[in-house]
Amino acid sequence: MDATRYKIALVDDNLATLNQGKSLLQDTYKVYTMQAAATLFENLEKDIPDLILLDIEMPGMNGYETLAKLKDDPRYKDIPVIFLTGNADEESERRGLSLGVSDYITKHFSPGILKLRIQNQIRLIEQINTVQYEIMKYKLVSEAIDAALWDMNVLVDDPASPENQITWSQELRHMIGFTDENDFPNTIEAFAARFHPNDRDMAFAAFAAHFNDRSGKTPYNIQYRLKHKNGEYRYFDGFGTTLRNNKGIPLRVSGAVRDITDLKQMQKKIADANERVNLMLDSTPLCCQLWGRDFKTIDCNEAAVKLYGFKSKQEYTERFHECSPKYQSDGQLSAEKAIMLVKKAFDEGECTFEWMHQIPATGEPMLAEISLVRVKYLDDYVVAGYTRDLREHNKMMERIHEEEERLQLMLDTMPMACRLFGQNYEFIDCNQQALDMVGVTSKEEYQKKSNDIIPEFQLCGRKSQELKKEYLDTAFEKGYLRFEWLYVLPDGEKLPCEITLVRVMHKGEYIIAGYIRDLREQKAILEEMRKAEIAEEGSKAKTRFLANMSHEMRTPLNVVVGLTDLMLEEDSLAPSLEKNLNKIGTAGTSLLGLINDILDISKIEAGKLEITPVNYEVPSLINDIITLNLIRIEDKPIKFQLDIKENLLYRLYGDDLRIKQIINNLLSNAFKYTERGAVSLSLTTERQDNENVWMEIIVSDTGIGMSADDLQKIFKDYSQVSASTSRKIEGTGLGLAITKSLIEMMNGEISVESELGKGSVFRARLQQKSRDHTTIGPMVMENIKNFRYSKTIDRKKLVRADLSFAKVLVVTMCSPILI
Ligand code: ADP
């Protein structure tokens, strides 16, 4: 014990006592001697001793009064005082002790005893100091850990008993908003009332478990919420420890409470932030992973787990080495290259590269782009890797590329030159056609030479370059412009074009797309059309002229033929005159037929031939036909046969003149091209419905016939069958063409069967109308049965008979001429 640091004040009016005491104690303590209490109080102002030795009987203030004054002053009340007195009576000692004196020593003490008693007193002081020091330490610690203390003096062996003396520290009260014992008394109830309802039972149970475990092994350290005076719940960390006797029964429990609300909030914030980061990481399609300096995978996100087809992050970490083929595309070992790249990222901070991966389960190769970035992690660095699967990207790029190629193909193969211009009239791009137009192979050349094909002036007389800018400006302003333009190609050929300019948006700016349409072909077609129009006009004029002329020609010719006939009727004509008149008649009639044909064909060409329907009688029609055609037999050995049936309708409605013309044409050809044998005409009618009737005309002969080739042509205009020596027969080739047209105008059709040298059969069918069901009947039939022409017929009589009995059935009237 280093006692010299202890100061003792010795107060006695007896100088000898003072000296004796001083000499006895000064080796061990610092001793101050004073002869009166007043001096003591003076000195106390300057320095406080650890112990006061005080005499009782003194002049002025005696020992009792001094002691009382000391105990009254809070500054001095804790200084231990020992009475050193001559009063050996019990009363004096009792009085001193009751005033709070620490010891009572009577004079004439043995020096040893005095020393020992002082020593005891000093030891006590030391103990008090130690305890105070411990308390101070305790406070310091509690302040340092920001905890508030409580203490329970266990009087009843029951953790919840209100009889146990509990003391809450002021800090604890302050923590939950209270001030002192008045608003927060030292009771368990006061504390229990502050618990969050959900935590109270748990906290008491934990405390009871700790309290009741005699072994002292159950710790008490829990977290709970307490309600602050302001109503807010705060989080606390509570812990305690118990002093037990040798049987384990609790004697005293001490504990601390720490407000961890801020910590909790911080922890929650960190947990939330962590969760958010994890969520973000795990929901990104980008694969992220962390590598340490040992090139081992530390962690990865869900996308990485999925990308390689793993089930968990752990599997990823364990099997990551299987995710690359043995060699990379440059021939380097994947394992070596990976280490090299991760090291590079550690050294340089970052690096990006393409990496060939493979999916462990399938072995499917997967090209990826990997970015490695060095990041600080705890006290060191790690490398974060971001892997982007390039398969989709590459596929998309391929698709884009294909699309571009297709578009380029379309652009280059479209039959139009196409170019793009920027805002300063500058060339941006063009297609193949544009290159071809200028006669260059590259776009660079095009840029240089495209102006060469623009002539100085346009057709309107304006300067081309000026006009070009004007047009582009208008297109920029209005969005669209179409105009004609002239180029002169490198070979000097003029190229008239139609140019369409369209304003389009490209990379956020307006540009102009120009499409050039070559008008050469169109212009040529227009020219052709113009010529054709002129030609058609000419042909129409010709047709009109022909129609007029043939009409005008018929009139005088009719006079010639008529007069010739009249003259032939004269009796006793000189034979030579009769012969000549006959020739004139024949030539005239033939010419008239020709003119009629020309008139008809020109009418057909001009679309003016019309069908004029009237009511007519079929026997009369037959009569006229036979009368006209019998003469065509001339003196050839030909039988003419008329083939009709009783059920032939009597009355029809149609253009009988045109029907006669049709049948006459067919019969005249039959007679013309037949030298011997027979010509026959068959006529039938067949009712189509109550109004319409099909009339069928069949003309057959045993004449020269036609080849298959000839048959193709005969219904065409002006076509005579190819001239062979056997066909030296006059004709125009108009007859059948007219016939066909007429039949078609009557909704009909005509066909022919023929064989060279054997004869021909023409079949025609046309439509007539009739509501009359009368047929020609047996009488008429009888008369025309076996209708035959006699060689001996007198032409004169026949002609006369024809003229005079017009519309009368010749079969009946001229029966003598029939065989
Ligand atoms: P053409 O006035 O020349 O007779 P058509 O148009 O009536 O003109 O006849 C055209 C051609 O068809 C004739 O030139 C002839 O060669 C051939 N032809 C027409 N009918 C017959 C027939 N019954 N027998 C043989 N050839 C015929």
Side-chain angles (χ1 to χ4, degrees):
M1 178 171 86
D2 176 18
T4 48
R5 65 191 176 96
Y6 289 100
K7 291 173 254 172
I8 298 176
L10 182 56
V11 189
D12 202 320
D13 55 335
N14 184 336
L15 206 57
T17 311
L18 286 182
N19 287 335
Q20 190 196 0
K22 189 169 181 176
S23 62
L24 196 68
L25 299 171
Q26 68 184 0
D27 291 345
T28 323
Y29 309 104
K30 280 187 181 153
V31 182
Y32 304 93
T33 53
M34 283 147 262
Q35 283 190 289
T39 324
L40 171 73
F41 283 106
E42 266 169 42
N43 283 330
L44 279 177
E45 293 291 326
K46 296 175 221 145
D47 194 7
I48 294 173
D50 295 294
L51 177 70
I52 299 172
L53 289 178
L54 188 62
D55 184 19
I56 294 177
E57 301 303 333
M58 284 188 294
M61 195 183 282
N62 68 22
Y64 297 121
E65 289 163 343
T66 309
L67 180 65
K69 193 177 174 187
L70 282 168
K71 291 294 169 197
D72 248 15
D73 193 324
R75 289 176 295 171
Y76 314 132
K77 71 176 174 47
D78 289 335
I79 307 173
V81 178
I82 300 176
F83 275 152
L84 189 65
T85 178
N87 301 353
D89 58 307
E90 202 185 310
E91 174 52 30
S92 298
E93 189 172 353
R94 198 192 50 78
R95 193 175 163 199
L97 287 171
S98 70
L99 278 172
V101 79
S102 299
D103 201 357
Y104 196 91
I105 304 171
T106 49
K107 282 184 179 167
H108 312 293
F109 48 79
S110 100
I113 293 291
L114 178 71
K115 268 188 158 182
L116 279 173
R117 291 181 84 153
I118 287 177
Q119 198 178 325
N120 276 346
Q121 208 50 243
I122 289 295
R123 207 172 273 138
L124 210 65
I125 291 169
E126 270 186 338
Q127 272 174 13
I128 290 168
N129 280 348
T130 310
V131 168
Q132 274 178 349
Y133 176 67
E134 285 303 319
I135 290 171
M136 199 183 73
K137 260 198 338 201
Y138 203 53
K139 281 203 163 183
L140 265 175
V141 169
S142 87
E143 265 168 35
I145 61 166
D146 202 13
L149 307 173
W150 55 268
D151 171 74
M152 184 163 102
N153 190 13
V154 182
L155 300 176
V156 181
D157 187 13
D158 170 7
S161 166
E163 279 172 52
N164 290 327
Q165 293 168 342
I166 195 139
T167 314
W168 307 115
S169 67
Q170 282 298 90
E171 287 82 1
L172 189 141
R173 291 192 175 89
H174 296 163
M175 260 181 187
I176 45 179
F178 293 90
T179 339
D180 50 35
E181 262 187 74
N182 295 324
D183 59 359
F184 196 87
N186 281 323
T187 60
I188 291 185
E189 288 74 42
F191 194 70
R194 307 314 302 171
F195 270 109
H196 188 285
N198 291 352
D199 296 349
R200 187 185 295 128
D201 292 347
M202 173 278 297
F204 274 91
F207 182 68
H210 165 75
F211 188 93
N212 293 329
D213 181 2
R214 301 268 149 105
S215 74
K217 283 183 185 153
T218 307
Y220 172 65
N221 189 357
I222 53 166
Q223 290 185 356
Y224 44 76
R225 282 161 290 176
L226 296 180
K227 196 175 189 176
H228 192 275
K229 202 177 172 192
N230 66 14
E232 171 198 349
Y233 278 103
R234 297 185 68 83
Y235 284 88
F236 294 89
D237 193 6
F239 47 92
T241 182
T242 301
L243 180 70
R244 299 171 192 274
N245 65 14
N246 52 9
K247 289 184 183 140
I249 294 169
L251 300 175
R252 216 171 178 101
V253 192
S254 289
V257 175
R258 198 156 58 102
D259 186 335
I260 54 164
T261 312
D262 292 346
L263 193 75
K264 272 261 174 199
Q265 278 169 356
M266 192 71 80
Q267 277 174 346
K268 190 168 179 326
K269 270 187 193 162
I270 291 172
D272 285 354
N274 258 341
E275 200 165 312
R276 274 199 303 276
V277 169
N278 280 338
L279 203 72
M280 276 194 291
L281 272 181
D282 284 345
S283 59
T284 169
L286 201 69
C287 303
C288 313
Q289 50 257 303
L290 291 180
W291 283 289
R293 280 192 193 278
D294 54 1
F295 310 110
K296 284 212 176 113
T297 315
I298 300 173
D299 199 359
C300 70
N301 69 346
E302 275 304 317
V305 174
K306 278 203 199 104
L307 179 68
Y308 301 104
F310 292 133
K311 288 193 188 67
S312 65
K313 289 185 183 181
Q314 195 193 341
E315 194 184 356
Y316 174 94
T317 333
E318 287 165 8
R319 296 182 59 194
F320 183 66
H321 61 277
E322 294 174 38
C323 297
S324 302
K326 192 163 184 203
Y327 295 97
Q328 285 298 302
S329 41
D330 58 3
Q332 248 185 297
L333 269 173
S334 292
E336 279 176 12
K337 193 173 179 182
I339 289 176
M340 188 266 286
L341 288 164
V342 173
K343 191 171 173 330
K344 188 173 176 209
F346 267 116
D347 294 346
E348 295 173 14
E350 59 175 76
C351 72
T352 298
F353 50 90
E354 280 194 1
W355 185 262
M356 184 53 83
H357 274 298
Q358 73 180 12
I359 309 297
T362 58
E364 184 197 342
M366 177 190 85
L367 187 66
E369 186 190 71
I370 299 183
S371 295
L372 298 181
V373 186
R374 184 186 61 202
V375 284
K376 197 144 176 57
Y377 177 65
L378 304 178
D379 283 339
D380 195 6
Y381 287 102
V382 289
V383 160
Y386 304 96
T387 308
R388 198 157 67 98
D389 181 355
L390 289 182
R391 284 175 300 180
E392 267 306 305
H393 171 82
N394 283 357
K395 265 189 217 156
M396 203 168 73
M397 289 306 287
E398 244 169 58
R399 275 205 297 276
I400 290 174
H401 191 67
E402 275 172 22
E403 198 113 298
E404 266 177 5
E405 258 183 14
R406 271 204 302 277
L407 281 177
Q408 193 60 43
L409 203 70
M410 278 199 279
L411 261 184
D412 286 346
T413 52
M414 73 186 221
M416 247 188 212
C418 165
R419 296 155 315 156
L420 298 177
F421 296 100
Q423 306 227 333
N424 301 317
Y425 319 109
E426 80 277 14
F427 165 84
I428 298 176
D429 203 353
C430 69
N431 69 349
Q432 188 60 41
Q433 263 63 28
L435 300 182
D436 294 348
M437 227 174 88
V438 183
V440 295
T441 49
S442 75
K443 289 176 186 171
E444 289 72 37
E445 272 182 283
Y446 180 89
Q447 230 171 323
K448 281 185 210 143
K449 293 194 173 169
S450 63
N451 277 333
D452 295 358
I453 61 164
I454 303 179
E456 195 178 355
F457 296 99
Q458 284 298 303
L459 288 173
C460 61
R462 299 266 319 268
K463 280 203 160 182
S464 295
Q465 291 301 342
E466 263 176 42
L467 208 54
K468 177 180 161 182
K469 286 182 181 168
E470 228 173 86
Y471 283 152
L472 281 171
D473 286 345
T474 316
F476 269 120
E477 193 187 316
K478 303 221 164 111
Y480 179 87
L481 186 67
R482 180 173 283 177
F483 53 89
E484 285 204 8
W485 188 258
L486 184 74
Y487 286 109
V488 179
L489 295 177
D491 63 3
E493 189 188 344
K494 286 191 176 161
L495 173 65
C497 305
E498 179 191 74
I499 296 186
T500 309
L501 300 180
V502 187
R503 184 184 63 197
V504 286
M505 189 59 104
H506 176 61
K507 290 188 185 163
E509 253 187 27
Y510 279 133
I511 61 166
I512 294 289
Y515 302 95
I516 305 175
R517 194 156 70 91
D518 183 344
L519 288 185
R520 278 177 297 186
E521 203 174 322
Q522 198 189 350
K523 294 245 169 191
I525 290 171
L526 278 175
E527 183 59 21
E528 284 284 300
M529 274 165 65
R530 208 175 56 82
K531 280 186 189 156
E533 257 171 38
I534 293 171
E536 199 183 314
E537 202 42 54
S539 130
K540 275 189 186 156
K542 193 180 77 197
T543 310
R544 267 199 309 277
F545 170 76
L546 268 177
N548 289 340
M549 278 308 286
S550 47
H551 180 75
E552 292 304 317
M553 277 148 69
R554 270 197 309 179
T555 321
L557 204 57
N558 270 327
V559 175
V560 173
V561 173
L563 284 180
T564 310
D565 276 352
L566 275 176
M567 282 165 78
L568 273 170
E569 279 178 36
E570 297 280 319
D571 289 331
S572 61
L573 283 174
S576 60
L577 181 62
E578 192 182 340
K579 197 177 160 195
N580 287 342
L581 279 175
N582 265 329
K583 279 186 181 166
I584 293 173
T586 313
T589 311
S590 148
L591 191 57
L592 200 59
L594 214 73
I595 289 171
N596 277 337
D597 279 355
I598 292 173
L599 185 64
D600 278 349
I601 209 84
S602 50
K603 272 190 182 163
I604 289 169
E605 275 187 7
K608 284 195 175 148
L609 191 80
E610 276 169 13
I611 296 295
T612 318
V614 293
N615 286 314
Y616 67 92
E617 289 169 357
V618 178
S620 169
L621 178 96
I622 295 171
N623 175 45
D624 289 357
I625 289 165
I626 291 172
T627 313
L628 191 66
N629 282 288
L630 282 179
I631 51 164
R632 298 192 203 275
I633 299 175
E634 294 167 351
D635 50 0
K636 290 191 266 191
I638 296 172
K639 273 187 190 172
F640 174 54
Q641 196 161 350
L642 180 63
D643 187 4
I644 51 174
K645 303 242 160 52
E646 283 180 27
N647 64 355
L648 192 68
L649 287 171
Y650 197 94
R651 280 181 207 88
L652 290 173
Y653 176 77
D655 191 337
D656 61 334
L657 290 178
R658 291 299 183 189
I659 292 178
K660 270 189 240 172
Q661 192 180 347
I662 290 165
I663 300 176
N664 282 339
N665 270 341
L666 295 176
L667 277 178
S668 70
N669 278 345
F671 285 117
K672 201 155 57 170
Y673 297 109
T674 305
E675 288 306 316
R676 63 184 63 81
V679 169
S680 78
L681 166 68
S682 154
L683 201 65
T684 53
T685 50
E686 188 195 337
R687 192 164 277 290
Q688 195 180 342
D689 51 42
N690 203 25
E691 189 179 35
N692 295 302
V693 173
W694 281 121
M695 175 188 274
E696 191 179 47
I697 302 157
I698 303 174
V699 174
S700 54
D701 63 60
T702 55
I704 59 172
M706 289 168 280
S707 68
D709 274 359
D710 294 340
L711 291 179
Q712 305 282 320
K713 300 177 200 154
I714 54 169
F715 293 112
K716 301 225 171 89
D717 298 358
Y718 323 125
S719 64
Q720 265 193 320
V721 165
S722 57
S724 70
T725 41
S726 61
R727 290 186 175 273
K728 291 196 176 123
I729 300 157
E730 84 281 3
T732 57
L734 291 177
L736 284 178
I738 295 168
T739 302
K740 185 169 187 267
S741 294
L742 288 173
I743 291 171
E744 282 168 359
M745 287 172 82
M746 295 181 200
N747 300 329
E749 59 204 0
I750 182 165
S751 63
V752 60
E753 283 168 38
S754 186
E755 203 177 323
L756 262 181
K758 289 200 173 165
S760 315
V761 182
F762 285 86
R763 283 171 214 278
R765 204 161 86 114
L766 49 85
Q767 211 174 34
Q768 298 288 284
K769 289 189 191 307
S770 168
R771 291 188 177 277
D772 190 332
H773 290 258
T774 319
T775 54
I776 57 168
M779 265 272 284
V780 177
M781 269 306 294
E782 193 54 39
N783 285 333
I784 56 177
K785 232 180 216 169
N786 298 318
F787 193 94
R788 293 230 161 78
Y789 178 64
S790 162
K791 269 193 221 168
T792 58
I793 189 167
D794 182 339
R795 187 174 178 276
K796 265 191 222 167
K797 282 182 185 157
L798 179 73
V799 173
R800 278 179 63 88
D802 185 28
L803 288 169
S804 51
F805 298 103
K807 303 275 177 195
V808 177
L809 186 63
V810 88
V811 180
T812 318
M813 303 309 293
C814 301
S815 51
I817 64 164
L818 299 171
I819 302 166

